[in-house]
């Protein structure tokens, strides 16, 4: 993957002694950390910040270990289970590396300062492992690209920079927006990127490689939300039966439902149901669950667990309907937390009107929760259905035929038909089962996509440019790696967001809104700094319109 | 709910421990405390070296090289005079004996601050600083790469291209991550010689732990050698790699056309001023032609990867957790992160490194292993265990509030020189338990390999007065402490230890000439390379540090 020599020479005006080295690309999420070298097609390592697999076996397998082992893969810092730091007195269960609201006191009563200290120590541990256990490379030699989530707390950025510069002494760090990086992996630079991660889902329109930050929208309906919902379902609907005495049922002990346990269930057993069920207004949750149960065609899965209190093996039966319907919580919204569908359509409705069609026909779903099987197909159906039936989105209803994900092929292609076929069998079965059930199955949307696409296809060809054939590479990259892969691409082209050099690091990363020069972009960078973005408006109005080239030149650095 | 005001120690028991404190760790988390403690550490270090310098000059009656080299600047020479006027020992002691710092140190010894103090086995001792160093104030460096399975050294040049994995026949099981072995269908073929004709595809990989076999996934080999190359080739030829290459070419053109590479600093300004809102105005005033020309609509992907629809169907009908891959298995196969256990591929074994460790303050090497993978020796190994007295709790009586308990502390000398120890209990701790040390000053006999095989009490050598200690055995001395807990809960006391000895400096030291300071014991003297002394030289060395000793939980008296 090395550049030809001639190209390297072209770039030499920018190269330092590290210039021709590949950079380190890091994508640090709240649950997983991806790391690797630029110029490579996939991250080298994808590390979990959950409990070690061995510790998980304490629940899932049958290691009758009495003490709950809370902690990361402790390794050097505490390799003894008897170590008091690893014995459940740890104030933080290793679920998320950070929270979105670092400033608030959390449930364990830690102050902001304590939490920052914990964050920094964990980051130091993880990043040390990244360099010396996984990437096996000298941190002093290579520049770093961070795929940053645009709304991640500034304290996180600061801690990352601090650990990288002070502990590991990397030469430079550049923070580059994750959504844009992900979009570049589709070969396009315009689209609506939906990052469905753990803490939140962020929807960001990008036009011609410029993130349109004022239009960013978020919803907490994401991985953690799903985990919480799953936890509730497991607690209420899934008693544990003792292996030795199957009629003896127990409620799942709270202590078992750790985030790592939930993550296991989530990543191994859940998927998004291909069948949409239209709920009557005011339908009760229990009734809805019964409906789900009635139409479910998925199998029940038994998970063996160890009941500590009883000192006995137990069997946790997770019914098929929970496996397919736990993720419904992502598609149902309320005022506090909009559904994925609504947050996407909300974004589309807010962008300038001539951008709506380009945006909705270039959706890109990324992030860890996007790995949930069938989530994207389901989301596509939901968006179409909302456009057709939801009064709130009436103004956008004309876009229903344009909805498309960038990594889907053109409707004519066989792949979609195959995907539709899979959905057909399911929904047909679902329809059959539901014929006597009290709910109202929406014929339009629950119909297999095949028929839908056949209907829409000719119309689309008339409206759009006649020879519009989608040139998509399909599912070549995993949604949870796209951001990283974009970072790797950009890094191999010696481009990125602006670099922060070690010698200039003073302990803070530039909070771009405080720079007078860059105040114009602050609104772009952070949705919180609305005051400075109005200053930006003022400045910009005095600027003559730039040529297209210059504007495009802003592409990657624009967000700063 | 946790009872916040419950007496400390209720609910869990504390084990006795002996922790040593590294001065780098700041008590609490405040930055000011951190600077204070680090500056005081520098100060102590100066006091240390001046003390060592003067006494060595006086005792050895050699010329002033040691003392003068230890005072690099006139100001510090002045400090030397001031400090030398009382007995250097006293002044040094009062430096540390400061209630405020005792309090801080004690605070850092509490178990929630796991980095504040730690067991001796995890610490280093920097000779040239004369300070304890913990993992946090040392820095790792890569010495060499090797495969943990075949123990072959891997030259640095080929490490990166082989993706930090072993290129010999070392593979790990995709199911259980144990090492796989290459086996043959034909039991007679035990030895393979090149040129031998073998049945095509008769070799495969097999796991002895979980019985996985590469036949299961249709992976066979014609030869039992060169498997790693084949696997790596297959990995590098996957669709994502091809697509990445295409994207890179494509984006390079795009970036060049749009001037993205015009050096970031200069274009940053213009790009920022053209930012946010103006770019939107631009966006909304342009038509789709602009989008076409600028966008990457012309992108033709290198591959088209169809979504795996089988995945969903299978997932709907599983009955046990084992039918899907775990996150761990999936994350080891990032090209597709498959849910299907039948699609997991064996992985080449990841390399490891040998690390050296440097003191962050003085940059001297603390640990340096031999460069060969199979060598287990160290060229330099300044772990604290080999250099500082090892304190263990030899005997302990239960702690009862307001009752005197007897504790026997054993000090073991790892050095080959006799050592003198003086102790001082810190009195700033809260709660301030009563501590009486029966022998505050004592000596410990040198370590002698012969003693490792002898048991029994050592009688004092003739001509030396019997010391008033509890016990003397080989190279350890035990002393008695009376502890009077004043409050229930965990009993911990800070103990300040000063450890001095005459170190023999050999002219025929085997270390490399570049590293005399590692072997010279006086901190400051190490800065200049000293001319080799004609005879055996002795250097007085004095080391002071804080320890925190825990004696378990005190129970309330019956009367109270
Ligand atoms: Zn040092
Ligand atoms: Zn330290
Ligand atoms: Zn090997
Ligand atoms: Zn195995």
């Amino acid at each position: 993957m090395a550049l030809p020599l001639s190209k390297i020479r072209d770039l030499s005006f920018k190269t330092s002694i590290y210039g021709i080295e590949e950079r380190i690309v890091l994508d640090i999420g709240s649950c997983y950390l991806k790391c690797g070298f630029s110029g490579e097609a996939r991250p080298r390592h994808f590390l979990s910040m959950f409990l070690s697999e061995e510790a998980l076996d304490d629940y899932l397998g049958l290691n009758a270990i009495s003490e709950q082992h809370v902690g990361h893969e402790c390794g050097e810092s505490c390799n003894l289970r008897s170590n008091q730091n690893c014995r459940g007195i740890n104030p933080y269960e290793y679920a998320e590396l950070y929270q979105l609201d670092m400033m608030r006191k959390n449930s364990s009563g830690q102050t902001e300062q304590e939490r920052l200290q914990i964050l920094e120590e964990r980051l130091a541990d993880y990043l040390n492992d990244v360099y010396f256990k996984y990437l096996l490379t000298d941190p002093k030699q290579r520049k770093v690209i961070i795929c940053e989530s645009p709304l991640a707390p500034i304290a996180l950025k600061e801690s990352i920079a601090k650990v990288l510069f002070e502990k590991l002494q990397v030469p430079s760090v550049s923070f580059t927006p994750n959504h844009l990086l992900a979009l570049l992996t589709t070969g396009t630079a315009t689209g609506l990127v939906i990052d469905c991660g753990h803490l939140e889902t962020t929807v960001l329109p990008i036009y011609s490689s410029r993130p349109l930050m004022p239009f960013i929208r978020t919803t907490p309906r994401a991985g953690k939300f799903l985990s919480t919902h799953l936890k509730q379902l497991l607690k209420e609907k899934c008693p544990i039966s003792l292996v030795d005495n199957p009629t003896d049922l127990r409620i799942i002990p709270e202590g078992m439902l750790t985030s790592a346990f939930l993550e296991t269930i989530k990543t191994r057993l859940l998927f998004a149901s291909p069948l949409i069920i239209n709920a009557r207004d005011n339908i009760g949750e229990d009734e809805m669950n019964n409906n789900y149960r009635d139409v479910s065609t998925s199998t029940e899965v038994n998970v063996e667990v160890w009941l500590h209190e009883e000192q006995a093996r137990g069997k946790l039966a997770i019914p098929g309907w929970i496996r397919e319907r736990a993720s419904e919580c992502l598609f149902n919204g309320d005022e506090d937390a909009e559904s994925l569908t609504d947050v996407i359509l909300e974004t589309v409705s807010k962008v300038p009107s001539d951008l709506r069609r380009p945006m909705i026909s270039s959706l890109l779903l990324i992030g860890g929760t996007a790995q949930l099987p069938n989530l994207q197909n389901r989301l596509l159906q939901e968006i179409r259905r909302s456009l057709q039936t939801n009064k709130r989105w009436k103004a956008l209803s004309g876009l229903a035929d344009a909805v498309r994900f960038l990594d889907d092929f053109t409707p004519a292609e066989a792949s979609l038909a195959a995907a539709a076929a899979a959905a057909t069998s399911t929904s047909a079965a679902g329809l059959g089962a539901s014929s006597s059930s009290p709910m109202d199955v929406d014929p339009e949307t629950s119909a297999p996509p095949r028929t839908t696409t056949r209907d829409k296809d000719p119309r689309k060809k008339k409206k759009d440019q006649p020879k519009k054939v989608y040139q998509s590479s399909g599912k070549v990259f995993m949604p949870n790696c796209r951001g990283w892969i974009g970072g790797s691409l950009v890094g191999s082209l010696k481009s990125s967001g602006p670099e922060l050099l070690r010698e200039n690091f003073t302990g803070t990363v530039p909070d771009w809104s405080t720079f007078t020069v860059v105040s114009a972009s602050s609104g772009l960078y952070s949705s919180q700094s609305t005051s400075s973005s109005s200053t930006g408006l003022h400045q910009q109005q005095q600027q003559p319109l730039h040529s297209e080239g210059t504007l495009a030149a802003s592409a990657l650095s624009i967000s700063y | 709910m946790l009872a916040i005001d419950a007496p400390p120690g209720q609910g869990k028991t504390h084990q006795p421990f002996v922790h040593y404190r590294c001065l780098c760790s700041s008590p609490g988390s405040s930055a000011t405390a951190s600077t204070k403690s680090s500056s005081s550490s520098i100060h102590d270090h100066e006091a240390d070296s001046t003390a060592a310098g003067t006494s060595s000059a006086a005792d050895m009656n050699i010329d002033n090289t040691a003392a003068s080299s230890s005072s690099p600047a006139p100001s510090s020479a002045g400090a030397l005079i001031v400090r030398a006027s009382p007995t250097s020992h006293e002044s040094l002691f009062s430096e540390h004996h400061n209630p405020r710092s005792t309090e801080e140190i004690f605070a850092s010894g509490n178990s929630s601050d796991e980095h504040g103090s730690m067991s001796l086995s995890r610490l280093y001792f920097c000779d040239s600083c004369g300070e304890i160093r913990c993992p946090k104030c040392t820095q790792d460096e890569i010495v060499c790469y090797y495969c943990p399975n075949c123990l072959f050294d891997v030259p640095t040049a080929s490490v990166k291209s082989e993706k930090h994995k072993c290129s010999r026949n070392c593979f790990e099981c995709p199911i259980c991550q144990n090492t796989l072995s290459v086996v043959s269908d034909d039991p007679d073929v035990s030895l393979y010689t090149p040129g031998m004709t073998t049945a095509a595809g008769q070799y495969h990989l097999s796991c002895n732990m979980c019985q996985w076999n590469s036949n299961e996934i249709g992976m066979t080999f014609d030869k039992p050698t060169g498997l790693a190359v084949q696997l790596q080739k297959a990995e590098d030829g996957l669709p994502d790699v091809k697509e990445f290459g295409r994207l890179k070419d494509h984006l390079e053109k795009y970036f060049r056309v749009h001037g993205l590479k015009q050096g970031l600093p200069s274009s940053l300004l213009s790009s920022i001023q053209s930012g946010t809102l103006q770019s939107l105005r631009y966006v909304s005033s342009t038509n789709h032609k602009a989008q076409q020309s600028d966008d990457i609509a012309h992108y033709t992907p290198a591959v088209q990867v169809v979504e795996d629809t089988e995945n969903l169907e299978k997932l709907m009908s599983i009955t046990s957790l084992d039918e899907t891959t775990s996150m761990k298995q999936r994350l080891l196969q990032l090209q597709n992160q498959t849910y299907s256990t039948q699609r997991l591929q064996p992985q080449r074994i990841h390399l490891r490194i040998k690390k050296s460790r440097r003191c962050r303050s003085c940059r001297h090497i603390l640990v340096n292993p031999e460069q060969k993978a199979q060598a287990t020796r160290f060229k330099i190994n300044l772990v604290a265990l080999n250099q500082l007295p090892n304190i263990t709790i030899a005997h302990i009586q239960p702690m009862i509030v307001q009752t005197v308990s007897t504790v026997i502390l054993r000090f073991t000398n790892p050095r080959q020189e006799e050592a003198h120890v003086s102790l001082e209990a810190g009195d700033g701790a809260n709660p301030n338990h009563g501590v009486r040390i029966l022998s505050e000053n004592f000596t410990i006999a040198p370590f002698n390999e012969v003693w490792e095989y002898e048991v029994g009490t050592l009688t004092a050598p003739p001509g030396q007065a019997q010391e008033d200690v509890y016990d003397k055995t080989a190279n350890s001395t035990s002393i008695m402490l009376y502890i009077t807990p004043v409050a229930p809960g965990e009993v911990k006391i800070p103990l300040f230890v000063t450890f001095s000895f005459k170190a023999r400096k050999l002219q025929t030291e085997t270390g490399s000439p570049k590293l005399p300071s590692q072997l010279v014991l006086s901190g400051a003297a190490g800065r200049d390379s000293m001319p080799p002394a004609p005879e055996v030289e002795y250097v007085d060395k004095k080391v002071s540090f804080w320890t925190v000793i825990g004696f378990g939980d005190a129970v309330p008296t019956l009367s109270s």
Side-chain angles (χ1 to χ4, degrees):
Chain A
M1 277 304 181
L3 283 168
L5 264 178
S6 59
K7 287 180 184 166
I8 292 172
R9 231 170 274 127
D10 281 349
L11 300 167
S12 60
F13 68 93
K14 263 175 63 179
T15 57
S16 61
I17 47 163
Y18 312 109
I20 58 165
E21 293 269 2
E22 294 295 0
R23 306 193 200 181
I24 301 296
V25 182
L26 297 174
D27 180 349
I28 304 175
S30 58
C31 293
Y32 292 94
L33 188 160
K34 287 143 255 179
C35 60
F37 297 91
S38 66
E40 293 185 3
R42 54 190 96 107
R44 283 290 184 86
H45 296 276
F46 196 128
L47 308 170
S48 161
M49 299 184 198
F50 284 102
L51 296 170
S52 66
E53 208 76 10
E54 290 70 31
L56 259 188
D57 288 347
D58 295 351
Y59 307 108
L60 301 176
L62 295 161
N63 309 350
I65 285 171
S66 53
E67 291 295 350
Q68 178 179 329
H69 182 72
V70 205
H72 55 310
E73 296 179 53
C74 300
E76 187 188 20
S77 60
C78 41
N79 47 16
L80 297 173
R81 283 210 175 184
S82 59
N83 185 324
Q84 37 189 333
N85 292 314
C86 266
R87 244 196 306 159
I89 60 155
N90 210 324
Y92 45 98
E93 187 198 354
Y94 278 91
E96 296 96 11
L97 179 66
Y98 60 90
Q99 302 287 330
L100 292 171
D101 52 347
M102 293 291 291
M103 305 305 153
R104 240 185 284 158
K105 270 203 168 194
N106 65 358
S107 53
S108 18
Q110 292 157 341
T111 60
E112 181 197 347
Q113 207 167 46
E114 282 166 333
R115 297 175 71 188
L116 284 178
Q117 195 189 5
I118 290 168
L119 169 68
E120 206 177 298
E121 287 187 2
R122 287 183 68 189
L123 269 174
D125 283 352
Y126 289 132
L127 291 175
N128 200 65
D129 277 358
V130 161
Y131 280 98
F132 294 106
K133 200 168 157 193
Y134 296 105
L135 299 182
L136 307 185
T137 194
D138 182 0
K140 295 192 285 296
Q141 299 284 314
R142 292 171 194 273
K143 300 178 173 190
V144 178
I145 293 177
I146 309 275
C147 311
E148 74 157 344
S149 181
L151 297 181
I154 191 93
L156 174 71
K157 282 176 72 176
E158 277 175 0
S159 298
I160 292 172
K162 196 168 165 204
V163 169
L164 286 173
F165 284 130
E166 290 176 3
K167 300 251 153 62
L168 294 160
Q169 311 207 295
V170 304
S172 88
V173 173
S174 31
F175 291 93
T176 312
N178 194 43
H179 291 74
L180 173 58
L181 292 175
L183 186 61
L184 291 175
T185 64
T186 63
T188 52
T190 296
L192 189 70
V193 184
I194 306 139
D195 185 352
C196 190
H198 181 69
L199 298 176
E200 64 177 355
T201 298
T202 49
V203 182
L204 177 63
I206 296 174
Y207 183 81
S208 194
S209 74
R210 281 185 297 274
L212 308 180
M213 284 304 285
F215 301 112
I216 194 167
R217 285 287 181 283
T218 68
T219 172
R221 296 202 183 248
K224 193 180 181 183
F225 198 98
L226 175 55
S227 290
T228 311
H229 184 63
L230 174 66
K231 185 174 177 176
Q232 199 64 32
L233 286 174
L234 290 177
K235 256 201 300 209
E236 288 171 5
K237 312 282 178 196
C238 306
I240 294 176
S241 60
L242 298 188
V243 169
D244 297 334
N245 183 6
T247 54
D248 192 354
L249 298 180
R250 306 293 164 97
I251 294 170
I252 303 185
E254 180 75 28
M256 189 184 281
L257 294 168
T258 60
S259 22
F261 183 85
L262 293 170
E263 183 78 355
T264 301
I265 303 297
K266 208 164 78 174
T267 55
R268 298 179 74 170
L269 300 180
L270 299 193
F271 58 93
S273 174
L275 177 65
I276 297 183
I277 296 177
N278 277 355
R280 283 196 321 266
D281 284 347
N282 309 323
I283 193 168
E285 201 185 317
D286 283 337
E287 198 184 337
M288 201 62 202
N289 286 340
N290 288 337
N291 292 343
Y292 289 149
R293 183 181 293 129
D294 291 344
V295 297
S296 170
T297 53
S298 311
T299 49
E300 177 175 280
V301 174
N302 289 313
V303 179
E304 278 206 56
V305 293
W306 175 254
L307 288 164
H308 174 219
E309 210 165 282
E310 286 84 357
Q311 290 290 303
R313 289 171 171 224
K315 202 156 62 172
L316 172 66
I318 302 176
W321 73 268
I322 288 187
R323 299 205 293 125
E324 60 183 82
R325 295 296 176 179
S327 54
E328 291 299 316
C329 70
L330 300 176
F331 302 110
N332 302 327
D334 53 40
E335 303 87 51
D336 297 333
E338 280 194 305
S339 69
L340 290 189
T341 326
D342 286 344
V343 81
I344 291 165
L345 292 177
E346 170 80 19
T347 315
V348 172
S349 73
K350 289 286 179 338
V351 297
S353 57
D354 54 349
L355 276 187
R356 286 179 194 157
R357 186 169 285 269
M359 284 302 156
I360 207 157
S361 58
S362 319
L363 303 173
L364 181 64
L365 181 64
I366 61 165
T369 305
Q371 295 287 119
L372 198 74
N374 202 46
L375 186 75
Q376 181 166 316
N377 286 335
R378 178 63 194 279
L379 187 57
L380 183 70
Q381 291 181 50
E382 290 279 351
I383 294 173
R384 282 187 181 145
R385 180 177 74 142
S386 281
L387 287 174
Q388 285 158 353
T389 63
N390 192 336
K391 289 191 187 77
R392 185 178 168 193
W393 307 119
K394 206 167 176 210
L396 299 176
S397 59
L399 297 173
D401 61 329
V403 184
R404 182 192 159 242
F405 281 91
L406 282 169
D407 56 352
D408 280 339
F409 295 108
T410 85
E413 278 170 65
S415 59
L416 197 82
T424 318
S425 59
T426 332
S427 46
L431 279 167
S434 66
S435 55
S436 61
S437 78
M439 79 228 138
D440 150 35
V441 175
D442 184 342
E444 168 76 30
T445 47
S446 67
R450 180 192 280 164
T451 50
T452 322
T453 51
R454 268 183 198 155
D455 289 346
K456 305 289 152 66
D457 210 5
R459 257 196 287 158
K460 170 173 279 162
K461 283 199 171 155
K462 262 177 263 161
K463 268 190 187 172
D464 295 351
Q465 294 89 343
K467 275 181 224 150
K468 186 129 188 174
V469 175
Y470 295 126
Q471 291 284 355
S472 168
S473 53
K475 314 282 185 231
V476 64
F477 301 124
M478 297 288 118
N480 59 358
C481 287
R482 277 204 191 259
W484 186 94
I485 295 166
S488 171
L489 265 173
V490 158
S492 70
L493 295 169
K494 305 289 179 283
S495 190
S496 71
E499 280 180 53
L500 181 59
L501 300 177
R502 182 173 68 217
E503 47 271 34
N504 299 340
F505 180 63
T506 55
T508 52
V509 294
D511 182 0
W512 310 106
S513 58
T514 61
F515 270 52
T516 46
V517 195
V518 290
S519 67
S521 69
S522 61
L524 192 86
Y525 180 74
S526 155
S527 65
Q528 288 124 1
S529 49
T530 41
S531 60
S532 47
S533 72
S534 60
T535 335
L537 176 68
H538 181 68
Q539 281 187 359
Q540 283 152 9
Q541 280 167 343
Q542 293 164 350
Q543 288 290 318
L545 206 72
H546 283 251
S547 71
E548 193 195 322
T550 333
L551 281 168
S554 63
L556 281 176
S557 48
I558 185 74
S559 61
Y560 302 92
Chain B
M1 282 308 291
L2 283 170
I4 305 277
D5 49 1
Q10 241 179 37
K12 82 184 187 71
T13 53
H14 296 92
Q15 299 301 313
F17 65 89
V18 179
H19 279 177
Y20 291 61
R21 187 172 185 274
C22 173
L23 279 172
C24 81
S25 56
S26 52
S29 57
S30 73
T32 48
S34 148
T35 20
K36 186 188 180 296
S37 107
S38 68
S39 70
S40 84
S41 120
I42 290 160
H43 196 79
D44 296 345
H45 163 213
E46 269 171 22
D48 236 353
S49 50
T50 50
T54 32
S55 52
S56 94
D59 289 353
M60 300 312 297
N61 205 11
I62 52 172
D63 71 10
N64 253 8
T65 43
S68 59
S69 69
S70 75
S71 48
S75 65
S76 106
L80 180 137
I81 294 158
V82 174
R83 264 186 218 307
S85 53
T87 72
S88 59
H89 179 262
E90 290 306 319
S91 78
L92 172 69
F93 208 85
S94 61
E95 195 62 45
H96 283 276
H97 189 73
N98 150 350
R100 169 91 195 271
S101 74
T102 314
E103 213 170 295
E104 284 179 359
I105 278 144
F106 187 71
S108 76
N110 92 46
S111 58
S112 67
D113 177 12
E114 62 175 302
H115 296 290
S117 60
M118 49 186 79
S119 74
L120 190 61
S121 58
R122 295 191 47 210
L123 295 166
Y124 304 88
F125 178 74
C126 179
D127 256 351
S128 82
C129 299
E131 293 283 1
I132 290 178
R133 295 286 174 225
C134 69
K136 275 180 116 182
C137 55
T138 57
Q139 193 171 24
D140 288 340
E141 276 167 23
I142 296 171
V143 172
C144 63
Y145 300 86
Y146 68 97
C147 166
N149 186 50
C150 64
L151 292 182
F152 267 75
D153 292 290
V154 183
T156 314
S158 55
V159 161
K160 174 98 195 311
S161 62
E162 289 162 0
K163 303 250 161 92
H164 296 87
K165 290 186 176 175
C166 182
S167 60
R168 306 175 67 81
N169 270 8
C170 300
F171 306 96
E172 66 177 34
C173 176
I175 306 293
C176 69
Q177 281 83 47
N178 276 290
T179 306
L180 296 172
S181 37
V182 182
V183 292
S184 165
D185 287 334
D186 182 355
D188 298 335
V189 188
S190 54
L191 281 172
Y192 173 83
T193 47
M196 194 168 124
T197 50
T198 52
Q202 72 164 89
Y203 294 96
H204 41 96
L205 294 165
S206 150
C207 175
N208 293 325
M209 290 297 287
C210 71
Q211 309 307 317
W212 180 87
N213 191 302
S214 67
N215 277 333
E216 289 173 24
I217 56 164
M219 181 183 275
T220 57
F221 302 90
D222 296 343
K223 284 189 296 179
T225 53
L227 272 53
V229 180
Q230 292 180 51
L231 276 192
Q232 192 182 349
K233 256 191 194 149
E235 267 171 40
D236 290 347
L238 287 171
D240 61 337
V241 177
K242 289 186 186 140
E243 178 67 9
F244 188 90
R246 175 71 59 91
L247 279 169
K248 207 174 129 180
D249 292 345
H250 175 72
L251 288 180
E252 190 176 22
K253 263 180 255 156
Y254 173 72
F255 285 2
R256 201 172 45 227
V257 167
H258 297 293
L260 202 90
K261 278 194 199 153
Q262 306 251 298
L264 285 167
S266 60
S267 74
L268 188 61
L269 276 179
S270 64
S271 66
I272 279 159
Q273 282 159 353
S274 69
T276 341
L277 297 162
Q278 183 175 356
S279 74
L280 291 179
R281 221 173 48 196
Y282 157 76
V283 162
S284 48
S285 66
T286 48
N287 53 20
H288 287 292
K289 268 184 209 154
Q291 194 204 337
Q292 267 186 339
S293 69
D294 134 298
D295 214 2
I296 324 188
H298 314 296
Y299 177 64
T300 316
V303 295
Q304 296 208 306
V305 176
V306 177
E307 189 181 12
D308 185 7
T309 52
E310 222 181 290
N311 198 359
L312 181 62
E313 279 176 76
K314 239 184 227 163
L315 190 56
M316 290 173 85
S317 57
I318 58 168
T319 54
S320 97
L321 202 59
D322 299 333
E323 289 174 63
T324 54
T325 54
S326 71
M327 270 314 257
K328 186 179 184 180
Q329 291 166 343
R330 229 175 272 171
L331 296 183
L332 288 171
Q333 191 167 316
L334 287 175
Q335 64 270 27
N336 58 8
Q337 298 181 42
T338 179
Y339 267 67
S340 160
T341 48
Q342 276 94 54
R343 298 239 209 134
L344 291 171
Q345 304 252 340
Q347 301 290 324
R348 293 178 295 139
I349 285 182
H350 204 265
L351 299 182
R352 289 194 196 158
I353 50 169
K354 279 192 166 191
K355 289 186 286 190
S356 62
R357 210 160 246 220
R358 248 178 227 285
C359 172
R360 276 187 196 265
S361 315
C362 70
R363 314 293 308 149
H364 280 106
I365 292 177
L366 301 176
V367 176
N368 196 14
E370 284 199 13
Q371 214 152 357
K372 286 186 61 136
Q374 301 190 31
T376 51
R377 287 193 310 170
F378 289 85
K379 285 192 256 181
I380 298 167
N381 194 8
L382 299 177
V383 293
L385 267 176
N386 295 341
Q387 302 190 79
L388 298 182
N390 246 308
I391 307 172
T392 48
I393 299 174
H395 176 78
I396 185 166
Q397 282 184 340
M399 295 285 141
I400 302 165
V401 172
Q402 301 300 352
T403 307
V404 178
S405 306
T406 308
V407 175
I408 310 292
L409 283 187
R410 179 182 295 140
F411 289 73
T412 307
N413 184 6
R415 293 187 165 271
Q416 303 193 347
E417 306 90 23
E418 181 178 73
H420 180 264
V421 174
S422 39
L423 302 177
E424 172 89 347
D427 54 4
N430 182 30
N432 201 352
H433 302 290
V435 180
R436 214 184 120 212
I437 303 168
L438 292 195
S439 334
E440 292 189 325
N441 295 287
F442 54 90
T443 57
I444 324 174
F447 170 75
N448 182 330
E449 276 166 45
V450 180
W451 282 333
E452 288 208 286
Y453 309 101
E454 284 179 12
V455 196
T457 306
L458 180 80
T459 50
Q464 191 176 330
Q466 184 75 45
E467 275 182 282
D468 181 23
V469 294
Y470 179 77
D471 187 25
K472 273 197 134 185
T473 313
N475 60 329
S476 59
T477 299
S478 301
I479 60 150
M480 202 187 282
L481 255 63
Y482 292 142
I483 308 290
T484 315
V486 295
E490 191 182 12
V491 178
K492 292 185 289 189
I493 60 155
L495 191 67
F496 185 68
V497 180
T498 303
F499 174 60
S500 47
F501 49 90
K502 270 191 179 34
R504 216 156 67 126
K505 193 172 64 176
L506 296 176
Q507 56 169 6
T508 55
E509 197 55 72
T510 46
S512 74
K514 272 194 326 196
L515 303 162
S517 51
Q518 302 302 325
L519 312 161
V520 175
L521 290 159
S522 170
R527 284 189 201 131
D528 292 354
S529 57
M530 289 210 258
E535 289 164 17
V536 176
E537 257 184 75
Y538 285 92
V539 182
D540 267 15
K541 178 77 181 171
K542 182 187 309 232
V543 179
S544 308
F545 50 89
W546 281 100
T547 59
V548 178
I549 304 180
F551 301 103
D553 291 312
V555 295
T557 37
L558 289 172
S559 57
S560 72

